[in-house]
Amino acid sequence: MSTTPTPSTPPEGDPARSQGLTAAELAEQYAAKSGMQRAENGQIDVLQSIGGVRGLAESILPGLIFTVIFTINQDLQSSLIAAIAVAAVFSIIRLVSRSPLTQALSGLIGVAICAFVAGRTGNAEDFFVPGFFTNGAYIIAMVISIAVRWPIAGLLFGFIRGEGVDWRKDPQRVKAYIIATWIIIAVLGLRLAVQMPLYFAENFVALGTTRLIMGLPLYALGLWLAWLVSRPAAKLTEATGAQGPGAQGPGVQDPEVQDPEAPERR
């Protein structure tokens, strides 16, 4: 058995190990705040990972209300007020349910920024401009994470898979998480590739519609694909010459390791 200390148990006074622990702690905090969750079958719970039904509604409804009302009456002010009002209702619900203040107000602040930009310019399409910058910032952050070999997908999935940051010791796992991160980047890049031309063409209806479709629903799909491609390889039981009546044949997976995503047994 190896006695090499893991990043979670560094020897005291070892600066390198201390730095490793700090990196691991930061990664763990990031994973915890991301809200990623696993279902009972060990697979990623995509719906809960994007905030559940309420999180989906909070993401979609303000933009949907804004798009529908402005399309009908072409009145920017009433459309913006309606969008802010919807976001405010969700924030109040979160406050009543005693969610953390930052979490409760984040959606309202985001919608308020979008409304402020559109209100200042008088252009309805500008309601979606802050989203372009947000997508761009995420893309840059993820590309940097790949460059420094701390791919974001590894930070998101590593802890809920029970890998911590140990996946960084395995080049194959690092490669898998890099590919997974590129998938998420592709989703964010696709948003910009589709929506920005619509913005410059001043096609409000198409822009608003694609913004809704390519928001959380598309992100959830990308998240699920990233989870699949970064899945650890299943282990196979070794075939032995003497197998009992209930033994498994060659190449048959051991039930204990058949699903590498299965939660650890308590």
Side-chain angles (χ1 to χ4, degrees), residues 19-57:
Q19 292 175 5
L21 176 60
T22 301
E25 288 179 336
L26 291 174
E28 185 173 11
Q29 291 176 5
Y30 175 79
K33 291 179 180 179
S34 71
M36 294 291 165
Q37 296 185 32
R38 292 177 73 175
E40 292 183 358
N41 63 0
Q43 301 300 318
I44 186 173
D45 190 330
V46 175
L47 181 60
Q48 290 305 314
S49 294
I50 61 175
V53 174
R54 183 167 68 179
L56 191 61

PDB file of all heavy atoms in Angstrom, residues 19-57:
ATOM      1  N   GLN A  19       0.370  24.290  -0.674  1.00  0.00           N
ATOM      2  CA  GLN A  19      -0.211  24.928  -1.845  1.00  0.00           C
ATOM      3  C   GLN A  19      -1.198  24.001  -2.524  1.00  0.00           C
ATOM      4  O   GLN A  19      -2.239  24.420  -3.001  1.00  0.00           O
ATOM      5  CB  GLN A  19       0.893  25.352  -2.807  1.00  0.00           C
ATOM      6  CG  GLN A  19       1.771  26.480  -2.264  1.00  0.00           C
ATOM      7  CD  GLN A  19       2.921  26.798  -3.188  1.00  0.00           C
ATOM      8  OE1 GLN A  19       3.018  26.234  -4.277  1.00  0.00           O
ATOM      9  NE2 GLN A  19       3.791  27.684  -2.754  1.00  0.00           N
ATOM     10  N   GLY A  20      -0.867  22.711  -2.564  1.00  0.00           N
ATOM     11  CA  GLY A  20      -1.774  21.745  -3.167  1.00  0.00           C
ATOM     12  C   GLY A  20      -3.078  21.674  -2.411  1.00  0.00           C
ATOM     13  O   GLY A  20      -4.147  21.578  -2.989  1.00  0.00           O
ATOM     14  N   LEU A  21      -2.996  21.726  -1.081  1.00  0.00           N
ATOM     15  CA  LEU A  21      -4.195  21.705  -0.258  1.00  0.00           C
ATOM     16  C   LEU A  21      -5.038  22.940  -0.524  1.00  0.00           C
ATOM     17  O   LEU A  21      -6.253  22.870  -0.637  1.00  0.00           O
ATOM     18  CB  LEU A  21      -3.809  21.639   1.216  1.00  0.00           C
ATOM     19  CG  LEU A  21      -4.970  21.701   2.231  1.00  0.00           C
ATOM     20  CD1 LEU A  21      -5.913  20.546   2.010  1.00  0.00           C
ATOM     21  CD2 LEU A  21      -4.435  21.698   3.650  1.00  0.00           C
ATOM     22  N   THR A  22      -4.388  24.081  -0.647  1.00  0.00           N
ATOM     23  CA  THR A  22      -5.114  25.314  -0.925  1.00  0.00           C
ATOM     24  C   THR A  22      -5.857  25.209  -2.254  1.00  0.00           C
ATOM     25  O   THR A  22      -7.026  25.588  -2.354  1.00  0.00           O
ATOM     26  CB  THR A  22      -4.147  26.512  -0.964  1.00  0.00           C
ATOM     27  OG1 THR A  22      -3.481  26.624   0.292  1.00  0.00           O
ATOM     28  CG2 THR A  22      -4.893  27.792  -1.259  1.00  0.00           C
ATOM     29  N   ALA A  23      -5.182  24.683  -3.263  1.00  0.00           N
ATOM     30  CA  ALA A  23      -5.820  24.514  -4.564  1.00  0.00           C
ATOM     31  C   ALA A  23      -7.000  23.557  -4.461  1.00  0.00           C
ATOM     32  O   ALA A  23      -8.062  23.784  -5.055  1.00  0.00           O
ATOM     33  CB  ALA A  23      -4.803  23.992  -5.581  1.00  0.00           C
ATOM     34  N   ALA A  24      -6.823  22.476  -3.713  1.00  0.00           N
ATOM     35  CA  ALA A  24      -7.900  21.503  -3.548  1.00  0.00           C
ATOM     36  C   ALA A  24      -9.087  22.122  -2.824  1.00  0.00           C
ATOM     37  O   ALA A  24     -10.244  21.880  -3.181  1.00  0.00           O
ATOM     38  CB  ALA A  24      -7.396  20.286  -2.786  1.00  0.00           C
ATOM     39  N   GLU A  25      -8.791  22.926  -1.804  1.00  0.00           N
ATOM     40  CA  GLU A  25      -9.873  23.567  -1.051  1.00  0.00           C
ATOM     41  C   GLU A  25     -10.633  24.552  -1.931  1.00  0.00           C
ATOM     42  O   GLU A  25     -11.868  24.616  -1.890  1.00  0.00           O
ATOM     43  CB  GLU A  25      -9.298  24.283   0.171  1.00  0.00           C
ATOM     44  CG  GLU A  25      -8.837  23.336   1.271  1.00  0.00           C
ATOM     45  CD  GLU A  25      -8.255  24.088   2.446  1.00  0.00           C
ATOM     46  OE1 GLU A  25      -7.788  25.232   2.245  1.00  0.00           O
ATOM     47  OE2 GLU A  25      -8.261  23.541   3.546  1.00  0.00           O
ATOM     48  N   LEU A  26      -9.907  25.314  -2.726  1.00  0.00           N
ATOM     49  CA  LEU A  26     -10.566  26.257  -3.622  1.00  0.00           C
ATOM     50  C   LEU A  26     -11.427  25.524  -4.638  1.00  0.00           C
ATOM     51  O   LEU A  26     -12.542  25.950  -4.952  1.00  0.00           O
ATOM     52  CB  LEU A  26      -9.512  27.119  -4.341  1.00  0.00           C
ATOM     53  CG  LEU A  26      -8.762  28.119  -3.473  1.00  0.00           C
ATOM     54  CD1 LEU A  26      -7.655  28.796  -4.279  1.00  0.00           C
ATOM     55  CD2 LEU A  26      -9.722  29.165  -2.912  1.00  0.00           C
ATOM     56  N   ALA A  27     -10.893  24.423  -5.152  1.00  0.00           N
ATOM     57  CA  ALA A  27     -11.653  23.634  -6.115  1.00  0.00           C
ATOM     58  C   ALA A  27     -12.917  23.073  -5.478  1.00  0.00           C
ATOM     59  O   ALA A  27     -13.992  23.062  -6.084  1.00  0.00           O
ATOM     60  CB  ALA A  27     -10.783  22.497  -6.654  1.00  0.00           C
ATOM     61  N   GLU A  28     -12.781  22.604  -4.238  1.00  0.00           N
ATOM     62  CA  GLU A  28     -13.940  22.036  -3.543  1.00  0.00           C
ATOM     63  C   GLU A  28     -14.998  23.104  -3.295  1.00  0.00           C
ATOM     64  O   GLU A  28     -16.194  22.859  -3.450  1.00  0.00           O
ATOM     65  CB  GLU A  28     -13.497  21.419  -2.225  1.00  0.00           C
ATOM     66  CG  GLU A  28     -14.624  20.704  -1.493  1.00  0.00           C
ATOM     67  CD  GLU A  28     -14.141  19.948  -0.276  1.00  0.00           C
ATOM     68  OE1 GLU A  28     -12.979  20.136   0.122  1.00  0.00           O
ATOM     69  OE2 GLU A  28     -14.934  19.174   0.268  1.00  0.00           O
ATOM     70  N   GLN A  29     -14.575  24.292  -2.915  1.00  0.00           N
ATOM     71  CA  GLN A  29     -15.521  25.380  -2.691  1.00  0.00           C
ATOM     72  C   GLN A  29     -16.233  25.755  -3.981  1.00  0.00           C
ATOM     73  O   GLN A  29     -17.448  26.000  -3.989  1.00  0.00           O
ATOM     74  CB  GLN A  29     -14.784  26.597  -2.119  1.00  0.00           C
ATOM     75  CG  GLN A  29     -14.281  26.400  -0.697  1.00  0.00           C
ATOM     76  CD  GLN A  29     -13.482  27.588  -0.204  1.00  0.00           C
ATOM     77  OE1 GLN A  29     -13.382  28.616  -0.889  1.00  0.00           O
ATOM     78  NE2 GLN A  29     -12.887  27.461   0.975  1.00  0.00           N
ATOM     79  N   TYR A  30     -15.465  25.790  -5.081  1.00  0.00           N
ATOM     80  CA  TYR A  30     -16.067  26.117  -6.369  1.00  0.00           C
ATOM     81  C   TYR A  30     -17.109  25.076  -6.758  1.00  0.00           C
ATOM     82  O   TYR A  30     -18.209  25.403  -7.206  1.00  0.00           O
ATOM     83  CB  TYR A  30     -14.979  26.185  -7.449  1.00  0.00           C
ATOM     84  CG  TYR A  30     -15.526  26.410  -8.840  1.00  0.00           C
ATOM     85  CD1 TYR A  30     -15.917  27.672  -9.261  1.00  0.00           C
ATOM     86  CD2 TYR A  30     -15.661  25.343  -9.736  1.00  0.00           C
ATOM     87  CE1 TYR A  30     -16.427  27.873 -10.530  1.00  0.00           C
ATOM     88  CE2 TYR A  30     -16.168  25.536 -11.005  1.00  0.00           C
ATOM     89  CZ  TYR A  30     -16.547  26.804 -11.399  1.00  0.00           C
ATOM     90  OH  TYR A  30     -17.062  27.001 -12.650  1.00  0.00           O
ATOM     91  N   ALA A  31     -16.769  23.794  -6.563  1.00  0.00           N
ATOM     92  CA  ALA A  31     -17.697  22.712  -6.902  1.00  0.00           C
ATOM     93  C   ALA A  31     -18.954  22.790  -6.046  1.00  0.00           C
ATOM     94  O   ALA A  31     -20.067  22.582  -6.539  1.00  0.00           O
ATOM     95  CB  ALA A  31     -17.007  21.362  -6.708  1.00  0.00           C
ATOM     96  N   ALA A  32     -18.783  23.106  -4.753  1.00  0.00           N
ATOM     97  CA  ALA A  32     -19.932  23.184  -3.855  1.00  0.00           C
ATOM     98  C   ALA A  32     -20.863  24.326  -4.246  1.00  0.00           C
ATOM     99  O   ALA A  32     -22.091  24.180  -4.242  1.00  0.00           O
ATOM    100  CB  ALA A  32     -19.461  23.359  -2.419  1.00  0.00           C
ATOM    101  N   LYS A  33     -20.290  25.469  -4.611  1.00  0.00           N
ATOM    102  CA  LYS A  33     -21.097  26.627  -4.969  1.00  0.00           C
ATOM    103  C   LYS A  33     -21.751  26.474  -6.336  1.00  0.00           C
ATOM    104  O   LYS A  33     -22.718  27.168  -6.643  1.00  0.00           O
ATOM    105  CB  LYS A  33     -20.233  27.894  -4.950  1.00  0.00           C
ATOM    106  CG  LYS A  33     -19.784  28.304  -3.545  1.00  0.00           C
ATOM    107  CD  LYS A  33     -18.924  29.550  -3.590  1.00  0.00           C
ATOM    108  CE  LYS A  33     -18.482  29.961  -2.182  1.00  0.00           C
ATOM    109  NZ  LYS A  33     -17.627  31.169  -2.203  1.00  0.00           N
ATOM    110  N   SER A  34     -21.223  25.590  -7.169  1.00  0.00           N
ATOM    111  CA  SER A  34     -21.789  25.413  -8.508  1.00  0.00           C
ATOM    112  C   SER A  34     -23.163  24.770  -8.467  1.00  0.00           C
ATOM    113  O   SER A  34     -23.934  24.888  -9.417  1.00  0.00           O
ATOM    114  CB  SER A  34     -20.851  24.534  -9.352  1.00  0.00           C
ATOM    115  OG  SER A  34     -20.885  23.190  -8.893  1.00  0.00           O
ATOM    116  N   GLY A  35     -23.470  24.055  -7.371  1.00  0.00           N
ATOM    117  CA  GLY A  35     -24.771  23.425  -7.251  1.00  0.00           C
ATOM    118  C   GLY A  35     -24.898  22.093  -7.967  1.00  0.00           C
ATOM    119  O   GLY A  35     -25.993  21.543  -8.072  1.00  0.00           O
ATOM    120  N   MET A  36     -23.771  21.558  -8.466  1.00  0.00           N
ATOM    121  CA  MET A  36     -23.822  20.267  -9.149  1.00  0.00           C
ATOM    122  C   MET A  36     -24.255  19.169  -8.183  1.00  0.00           C
ATOM    123  O   MET A  36     -23.797  19.126  -7.054  1.00  0.00           O
ATOM    124  CB  MET A  36     -22.447  19.922  -9.732  1.00  0.00           C
ATOM    125  CG  MET A  36     -22.008  20.842 -10.846  1.00  0.00           C
ATOM    126  SD  MET A  36     -22.991  20.618 -12.325  1.00  0.00           S
ATOM    127  CE  MET A  36     -22.562  22.106 -13.227  1.00  0.00           C
ATOM    128  N   GLN A  37     -25.152  18.299  -8.652  1.00  0.00           N
ATOM    129  CA  GLN A  37     -25.651  17.223  -7.806  1.00  0.00           C
ATOM    130  C   GLN A  37     -25.751  15.929  -8.599  1.00  0.00           C
ATOM    131  O   GLN A  37     -25.884  15.947  -9.816  1.00  0.00           O
ATOM    132  CB  GLN A  37     -27.041  17.567  -7.243  1.00  0.00           C
ATOM    133  CG  GLN A  37     -27.055  18.770  -6.326  1.00  0.00           C
ATOM    134  CD  GLN A  37     -28.412  19.004  -5.711  1.00  0.00           C
ATOM    135  OE1 GLN A  37     -29.171  18.072  -5.461  1.00  0.00           O
ATOM    136  NE2 GLN A  37     -28.737  20.266  -5.475  1.00  0.00           N
ATOM    137  N   ARG A  38     -25.701  14.810  -7.849  1.00  0.00           N
ATOM    138  CA  ARG A  38     -25.873  13.499  -8.460  1.00  0.00           C
ATOM    139  C   ARG A  38     -27.206  12.911  -8.042  1.00  0.00           C
ATOM    140  O   ARG A  38     -27.693  13.141  -6.936  1.00  0.00           O
ATOM    141  CB  ARG A  38     -24.755  12.545  -8.015  1.00  0.00           C
ATOM    142  CG  ARG A  38     -23.398  12.914  -8.548  1.00  0.00           C
ATOM    143  CD  ARG A  38     -22.320  11.992  -8.010  1.00  0.00           C
ATOM    144  NE  ARG A  38     -22.378  10.672  -8.610  1.00  0.00           N
ATOM    145  CZ  ARG A  38     -21.475   9.721  -8.368  1.00  0.00           C
ATOM    146  NH1 ARG A  38     -20.492   9.959  -7.536  1.00  0.00           N
ATOM    147  NH2 ARG A  38     -21.570   8.555  -8.953  1.00  0.00           N
ATOM    148  N   ALA A  39     -27.810  12.152  -8.960  1.00  0.00           N
ATOM    149  CA  ALA A  39     -29.045  11.448  -8.648  1.00  0.00           C
ATOM    150  C   ALA A  39     -28.711  10.165  -7.902  1.00  0.00           C
ATOM    151  O   ALA A  39     -27.546   9.783  -7.773  1.00  0.00           O
ATOM    152  CB  ALA A  39     -29.811  11.138  -9.936  1.00  0.00           C
ATOM    153  N   GLU A  40     -29.731   9.465  -7.419  1.00  0.00           N
ATOM    154  CA  GLU A  40     -29.512   8.239  -6.657  1.00  0.00           C
ATOM    155  C   GLU A  40     -28.854   7.147  -7.491  1.00  0.00           C
ATOM    156  O   GLU A  40     -28.191   6.267  -6.961  1.00  0.00           O
ATOM    157  CB  GLU A  40     -30.848   7.730  -6.093  1.00  0.00           C
ATOM    158  CG  GLU A  40     -31.424   8.639  -5.007  1.00  0.00           C
ATOM    159  CD  GLU A  40     -32.705   8.079  -4.428  1.00  0.00           C
ATOM    160  OE1 GLU A  40     -33.144   7.005  -4.905  1.00  0.00           O
ATOM    161  OE2 GLU A  40     -33.266   8.694  -3.506  1.00  0.00           O
ATOM    162  N   ASN A  41     -29.040   7.203  -8.816  1.00  0.00           N
ATOM    163  CA  ASN A  41     -28.424   6.185  -9.671  1.00  0.00           C
ATOM    164  C   ASN A  41     -26.975   6.500 -10.001  1.00  0.00           C
ATOM    165  O   ASN A  41     -26.325   5.779 -10.755  1.00  0.00           O
ATOM    166  CB  ASN A  41     -29.220   6.030 -10.973  1.00  0.00           C
ATOM    167  CG  ASN A  41     -29.235   7.302 -11.814  1.00  0.00           C
ATOM    168  OD1 ASN A  41     -28.647   8.320 -11.446  1.00  0.00           O
ATOM    169  ND2 ASN A  41     -29.915   7.260 -12.941  1.00  0.00           N
ATOM    170  N   GLY A  42     -26.444   7.580  -9.429  1.00  0.00           N
ATOM    171  CA  GLY A  42     -25.043   7.915  -9.632  1.00  0.00           C
ATOM    172  C   GLY A  42     -24.791   8.834 -10.815  1.00  0.00           C
ATOM    173  O   GLY A  42     -23.697   9.343 -10.975  1.00  0.00           O
ATOM    174  N   GLN A  43     -25.806   9.065 -11.657  1.00  0.00           N
ATOM    175  CA  GLN A  43     -25.644   9.961 -12.789  1.00  0.00           C
ATOM    176  C   GLN A  43     -25.847  11.406 -12.331  1.00  0.00           C
ATOM    177  O   GLN A  43     -26.400  11.670 -11.263  1.00  0.00           O
ATOM    178  CB  GLN A  43     -26.653   9.620 -13.887  1.00  0.00           C
ATOM    179  CG  GLN A  43     -26.538   8.206 -14.415  1.00  0.00           C
ATOM    180  CD  GLN A  43     -25.165   7.928 -15.011  1.00  0.00           C
ATOM    181  OE1 GLN A  43     -24.603   8.756 -15.710  1.00  0.00           O
ATOM    182  NE2 GLN A  43     -24.626   6.750 -14.722  1.00  0.00           N
ATOM    183  N   ILE A  44     -25.413  12.349 -13.142  1.00  0.00           N
ATOM    184  CA  ILE A  44     -25.599  13.746 -12.795  1.00  0.00           C
ATOM    185  C   ILE A  44     -27.083  14.079 -12.844  1.00  0.00           C
ATOM    186  O   ILE A  44     -27.808  13.649 -13.743  1.00  0.00           O
ATOM    187  CB  ILE A  44     -24.806  14.669 -13.747  1.00  0.00           C
ATOM    188  CG1 ILE A  44     -24.898  16.118 -13.268  1.00  0.00           C
ATOM    189  CG2 ILE A  44     -25.290  14.527 -15.187  1.00  0.00           C
ATOM    190  CD1 ILE A  44     -24.011  17.065 -14.035  1.00  0.00           C
ATOM    191  N   ASP A  45     -27.551  14.795 -11.836  1.00  0.00           N
ATOM    192  CA  ASP A  45     -28.933  15.255 -11.807  1.00  0.00           C
ATOM    193  C   ASP A  45     -28.952  16.613 -12.490  1.00  0.00           C
ATOM    194  O   ASP A  45     -28.737  17.655 -11.857  1.00  0.00           O
ATOM    195  CB  ASP A  45     -29.425  15.361 -10.358  1.00  0.00           C
ATOM    196  CG  ASP A  45     -30.928  15.590 -10.267  1.00  0.00           C
ATOM    197  OD1 ASP A  45     -31.475  16.214 -11.195  1.00  0.00           O
ATOM    198  OD2 ASP A  45     -31.539  15.137  -9.283  1.00  0.00           O
ATOM    199  N   VAL A  46     -29.198  16.598 -13.797  1.00  0.00           N
ATOM    200  CA  VAL A  46     -29.081  17.820 -14.594  1.00  0.00           C
ATOM    201  C   VAL A  46     -30.059  18.885 -14.121  1.00  0.00           C
ATOM    202  O   VAL A  46     -29.702  20.059 -13.982  1.00  0.00           O
ATOM    203  CB  VAL A  46     -29.304  17.515 -16.090  1.00  0.00           C
ATOM    204  CG1 VAL A  46     -29.299  18.805 -16.897  1.00  0.00           C
ATOM    205  CG2 VAL A  46     -28.220  16.578 -16.606  1.00  0.00           C
ATOM    206  N   LEU A  47     -31.307  18.480 -13.849  1.00  0.00           N
ATOM    207  CA  LEU A  47     -32.316  19.456 -13.446  1.00  0.00           C
ATOM    208  C   LEU A  47     -31.925  20.152 -12.152  1.00  0.00           C
ATOM    209  O   LEU A  47     -31.979  21.382 -12.047  1.00  0.00           O
ATOM    210  CB  LEU A  47     -33.677  18.775 -13.294  1.00  0.00           C
ATOM    211  CG  LEU A  47     -34.841  19.695 -12.895  1.00  0.00           C
ATOM    212  CD1 LEU A  47     -35.032  20.793 -13.933  1.00  0.00           C
ATOM    213  CD2 LEU A  47     -36.130  18.900 -12.721  1.00  0.00           C
ATOM    214  N   GLN A  48     -31.513  19.370 -11.148  1.00  0.00           N
ATOM    215  CA  GLN A  48     -31.122  19.960  -9.878  1.00  0.00           C
ATOM    216  C   GLN A  48     -29.833  20.768 -10.008  1.00  0.00           C
ATOM    217  O   GLN A  48     -29.636  21.755  -9.298  1.00  0.00           O
ATOM    218  CB  GLN A  48     -30.952  18.869  -8.817  1.00  0.00           C
ATOM    219  CG  GLN A  48     -32.258  18.217  -8.390  1.00  0.00           C
ATOM    220  CD  GLN A  48     -33.287  19.221  -7.902  1.00  0.00           C
ATOM    221  OE1 GLN A  48     -32.981  20.122  -7.119  1.00  0.00           O
ATOM    222  NE2 GLN A  48     -34.516  19.070  -8.372  1.00  0.00           N
ATOM    223  N   SER A  49     -28.963  20.356 -10.923  1.00  0.00           N
ATOM    224  CA  SER A  49     -27.686  21.050 -11.094  1.00  0.00           C
ATOM    225  C   SER A  49     -27.864  22.436 -11.705  1.00  0.00           C
ATOM    226  O   SER A  49     -26.984  23.291 -11.568  1.00  0.00           O
ATOM    227  CB  SER A  49     -26.742  20.210 -11.963  1.00  0.00           C
ATOM    228  OG  SER A  49     -26.381  19.016 -11.291  1.00  0.00           O
ATOM    229  N   ILE A  50     -28.998  22.658 -12.393  1.00  0.00           N
ATOM    230  CA  ILE A  50     -29.262  23.988 -12.949  1.00  0.00           C
ATOM    231  C   ILE A  50     -30.274  24.745 -12.087  1.00  0.00           C
ATOM    232  O   ILE A  50     -30.835  25.750 -12.513  1.00  0.00           O
ATOM    233  CB  ILE A  50     -29.770  23.909 -14.402  1.00  0.00           C
ATOM    234  CG1 ILE A  50     -31.086  23.119 -14.487  1.00  0.00           C
ATOM    235  CG2 ILE A  50     -28.717  23.326 -15.305  1.00  0.00           C
ATOM    236  CD1 ILE A  50     -31.693  23.102 -15.886  1.00  0.00           C
ATOM    237  N   GLY A  51     -30.501  24.231 -10.859  1.00  0.00           N
ATOM    238  CA  GLY A  51     -31.362  24.952  -9.930  1.00  0.00           C
ATOM    239  C   GLY A  51     -32.757  24.401  -9.782  1.00  0.00           C
ATOM    240  O   GLY A  51     -33.601  25.032  -9.139  1.00  0.00           O
ATOM    241  N   GLY A  52     -33.026  23.242 -10.398  1.00  0.00           N
ATOM    242  CA  GLY A  52     -34.358  22.658 -10.300  1.00  0.00           C
ATOM    243  C   GLY A  52     -35.372  23.404 -11.146  1.00  0.00           C
ATOM    244  O   GLY A  52     -35.022  24.277 -11.956  1.00  0.00           O
ATOM    245  N   VAL A  53     -36.636  23.090 -10.929  1.00  0.00           N
ATOM    246  CA  VAL A  53     -37.704  23.737 -11.699  1.00  0.00           C
ATOM    247  C   VAL A  53     -37.725  25.236 -11.424  1.00  0.00           C
ATOM    248  O   VAL A  53     -37.905  26.047 -12.338  1.00  0.00           O
ATOM    249  CB  VAL A  53     -39.073  23.105 -11.346  1.00  0.00           C
ATOM    250  CG1 VAL A  53     -40.206  23.865 -12.033  1.00  0.00           C
ATOM    251  CG2 VAL A  53     -39.103  21.632 -11.741  1.00  0.00           C
ATOM    252  N   ARG A  54     -37.511  25.616 -10.173  1.00  0.00           N
ATOM    253  CA  ARG A  54     -37.514  27.041  -9.835  1.00  0.00           C
ATOM    254  C   ARG A  54     -36.366  27.765 -10.509  1.00  0.00           C
ATOM    255  O   ARG A  54     -36.544  28.874 -11.045  1.00  0.00           O
ATOM    256  CB  ARG A  54     -37.441  27.230  -8.325  1.00  0.00           C
ATOM    257  CG  ARG A  54     -37.522  28.709  -7.913  1.00  0.00           C
ATOM    258  CD  ARG A  54     -37.759  28.880  -6.432  1.00  0.00           C
ATOM    259  NE  ARG A  54     -36.609  28.448  -5.655  1.00  0.00           N
ATOM    260  CZ  ARG A  54     -36.573  28.527  -4.323  1.00  0.00           C
ATOM    261  NH1 ARG A  54     -37.630  28.962  -3.648  1.00  0.00           N
ATOM    262  NH2 ARG A  54     -35.492  28.133  -3.661  1.00  0.00           N
ATOM    263  N   GLY A  55     -35.185  27.155 -10.520  1.00  0.00           N
ATOM    264  CA  GLY A  55     -34.048  27.781 -11.183  1.00  0.00           C
ATOM    265  C   GLY A  55     -34.283  27.940 -12.675  1.00  0.00           C
ATOM    266  O   GLY A  55     -33.908  28.954 -13.272  1.00  0.00           O
ATOM    267  N   LEU A  56     -34.923  26.943 -13.273  1.00  0.00           N
ATOM    268  CA  LEU A  56     -35.239  27.006 -14.700  1.00  0.00           C
ATOM    269  C   LEU A  56     -36.230  28.134 -14.963  1.00  0.00           C
ATOM    270  O   LEU A  56     -36.071  28.906 -15.921  1.00  0.00           O
ATOM    271  CB  LEU A  56     -35.813  25.665 -15.152  1.00  0.00           C
ATOM    272  CG  LEU A  56     -35.973  25.431 -16.653  1.00  0.00           C
ATOM    273  CD1 LEU A  56     -34.629  25.500 -17.357  1.00  0.00           C
ATOM    274  CD2 LEU A  56     -36.639  24.085 -16.904  1.00  0.00           C
ATOM    275  N   ALA A  57     -37.240  28.240 -14.104  1.00  0.00           N
ATOM    276  CA  ALA A  57     -38.241  29.294 -14.269  1.00  0.00           C
ATOM    277  C   ALA A  57     -37.618  30.673 -14.079  1.00  0.00           C
ATOM    278  O   ALA A  57     -37.909  31.612 -14.837  1.00  0.00           O
ATOM    279  CB  ALA A  57     -39.374  29.094 -13.268  1.00  0.00           C
TER     280      ALA A  57
END
